Amino acid sequence: MTDSSQPQLPRGAALYLAVVQFFFVTSWTIYVIYLPKLLVAAGLPASYTIWILLLDQLVFMVMDVVMGIAADRAGRVLGRIGPLIIAVTAVSCIAFLLIPHAAFLGGAAPAASLALILAWAATSSALRAPPWVLLSKYAAVPSLPWMNALALSGMAIGGALAPYLGVALRNVDPKLPFAVSSLTLFAATAGLVWVERALARRPTMGRQAVPRLGELLPGMSLFLTACLALALGFQIHTALNSAPQYLRFAAPDQLEYLLPVFWIGFNVAMFPGAALARRFGTLPVIAMAAALGAGGAAVSVHAQNIDILIAAQLLAGGAWGCIMMAGFSAALAFGRTGREGTALGLLFGMLAVATFSRMGVVAAQLNKMPDYAALLAWGPVVLWLVGAVAFIGLAVTRRVREAA
């Protein structure tokens, strides 16, 4: 007789991963809020902030793939991924905890501050691809969209709370939030050992021979390129366009209540999107969500009142939630023969490329130039439509290949 609780284990693991992702996103938010002040305290100009954030994204681009490959290797060699995640996260949390204290090192403060930031950025990639690999080892392919929707809900809640944290922490000494964030994140991550032990009582999904990395990349190339287009649209819409659009109808002090609307749509739409992905497949759902997101972004540009703008932002957020849920599921399916970490690491790398590109626009101050206003306003619409067409092509190609 099988244990009746066994079917609940992957769901519980996904919820636990949501908690870890919530604390991880919160730590990033705290870092961004305090970075200018910390640089000044360490003897560096606050103007370095954007360049350090760009450097962080470059580190993520590389380390996401490296950690994904490491997770695959740990799964094959050790049969466990949890110890790798926890060991690297311990280093990450220690570095994060020490960042506000670098200012006390006098003349060595600038170098120490930069070293700690780089150490934290490099090791924090342990909480991007590898935890999803842990979950996917024990979840059946049809359940992946639902599992990913549960896990991503923590990321969405963390994103929704970011504007509130910016206000709440404005006058708080950085040492306290950095310490609390580090300790809670490590405590939550340490529990992945018990999660993995519980999951290990279930049989792993059947696998074929592990493909070489060179065999994985060609099949994923169009998928990753299309994901990059969608991620660029997301970055421009949320980070560059949303606040100015709201300010057409609302006062600046209302932004903390309006900006989370996107993330509410994200969280709400993921679960019906997961049902659709299970019924019709992940690629058609991404294509449909990208088209709807383009519609939401287009309405946002010409919204005539705040109510229409909120509805458009909910639609765009819901579309991005479905794209992320189905995109993670599709990436895990691409690497389903022992390269899940590599595939998801590449996807996270594309997300970092998109973030880097958006920050590059800010660093060059292109977002403040009138000549680029229309380009930025309609950029998400065009990019999401391009992504929709690409995923329609991918879905049709897969259907033809399966029918052959």
Side-chain angles (χ1 to χ4, degrees):
M1 180 180 295
T2 59
D3 184 351
S4 62
S5 68
Q6 289 296 305
Q8 304 299 321
L9 284 175
R11 184 178 301 177
L15 287 171
Y16 196 93
L17 180 54
V19 174
V20 173
Q21 291 300 310
F22 169 78
F23 287 124
F24 177 59
V25 171
T26 301
S27 69
W28 170 257
T29 302
I30 290 170
Y31 167 72
V32 172
I33 290 169
Y34 283 109
L35 183 57
K37 184 186 297 186
L38 291 172
L39 291 178
V40 171
L44 294 166
S47 59
Y48 281 19
T49 299
I50 187 63
W51 303 108
I52 290 175
L53 291 174
L54 282 166
L55 180 59
D56 290 336
Q57 297 304 317
L58 284 174
V59 173
F60 287 151
M61 289 179 209
V62 176
M63 292 305 300
D64 283 339
V65 180
V66 170
M67 288 303 304
I69 294 172
D72 288 336
R73 181 172 178 79
R76 291 195 298 270
V77 175
L78 303 177
R80 295 180 298 163
I81 301 170
L84 169 71
I85 296 172
I86 293 165
V88 180
T89 301
V91 176
S92 179
C93 289
I94 291 171
F96 192 74
L97 177 67
L98 293 176
I99 288 173
H101 299 275
F104 297 102
L105 297 178
S113 182
L114 292 175
L116 288 168
I117 287 171
L118 284 174
W120 168 71
T123 53
S124 65
S125 289
L127 289 177
R128 287 159 72 91
W132 262 272
V133 179
L134 186 154
L135 177 63
S136 70
K137 282 178 61 182
Y138 303 96
V141 171
S143 69
L144 283 177
W146 179 255
M147 297 295 105
N148 284 323
L150 287 173
L152 284 166
S153 62
M155 185 183 297
I157 294 170
L161 288 178
Y164 301 111
L165 283 175
V167 174
L169 298 177
R170 188 174 294 156
N171 299 313
V172 177
D173 188 311
K175 291 189 287 295
L176 177 60
F178 270 72
V180 172
S181 178
S182 300
L183 295 174
T184 52
L185 178 59
F186 181 72
T189 305
L192 288 174
V193 166
W194 287 272
V195 170
E196 187 171 38
R197 286 177 182 172
L199 287 172
R201 300 190 188 104
R202 299 169 56 89
T204 58
M205 300 299 109
R207 301 175 186 272
Q208 303 169 2
V210 178
R212 289 176 297 186
L213 183 58
E215 296 171 340
L216 177 68
L217 291 174
M220 286 193 70
S221 57
L222 180 56
F223 170 80
L224 291 171
T225 303
C227 286
L228 176 58
L230 295 174
L232 284 168
F234 157 74
Q235 287 291 333
I236 296 171
H237 178 77
T238 55
L240 301 180
N241 291 352
S242 290
Q245 287 168 356
Y246 279 124
L247 289 174
R248 299 205 311 262
F249 310 106
D253 59 359
Q254 294 179 296
L255 287 178
E256 63 186 277
Y257 306 106
L258 293 170
L259 291 176
V261 165
F262 180 92
W263 294 104
I264 293 171
F266 182 105
N267 233 3
V268 170
M270 275 194 302
F271 297 99
L276 291 173
R278 182 164 186 163
R279 173 68 178 82
F280 298 105
T282 55
L283 301 182
V285 166
I286 297 173
M288 178 191 68
L292 290 173
V299 173
S300 296
V301 174
H302 287 303
Q304 297 301 306
N305 56 60
I306 189 69
D307 294 330
I308 293 176
L309 180 55
I310 287 173
Q313 289 284 351
L314 282 170
L315 177 60
W320 182 243
C322 291
I323 289 168
M324 286 286 282
M325 172 277 301
F328 276 39
S329 303
L332 289 168
F334 267 111
R336 196 63 183 175
T337 55
R339 289 287 187 185
E340 293 92 340
T342 304
L344 202 54
L346 288 167
L347 178 57
F348 270 111
M350 290 299 101
L351 297 177
V353 171
T355 306
F356 178 88
S357 301
R358 184 259 299 172
M359 290 180 176
V361 169
V362 175
Q365 297 190 342
L366 297 179
N367 56 315
K368 297 181 180 179
M369 297 181 183
D371 293 343
Y372 290 92
L375 184 63
L376 291 176
W378 289 99
V381 180
V382 174
L383 288 164
W384 279 346
L385 285 176
V386 169
V389 171
F391 274 101
I392 289 172
L394 281 168
V396 170
T397 301
R398 175 171 288 184
R399 289 288 176 87
V400 170
R401 189 176 298 162
E402 290 173 351

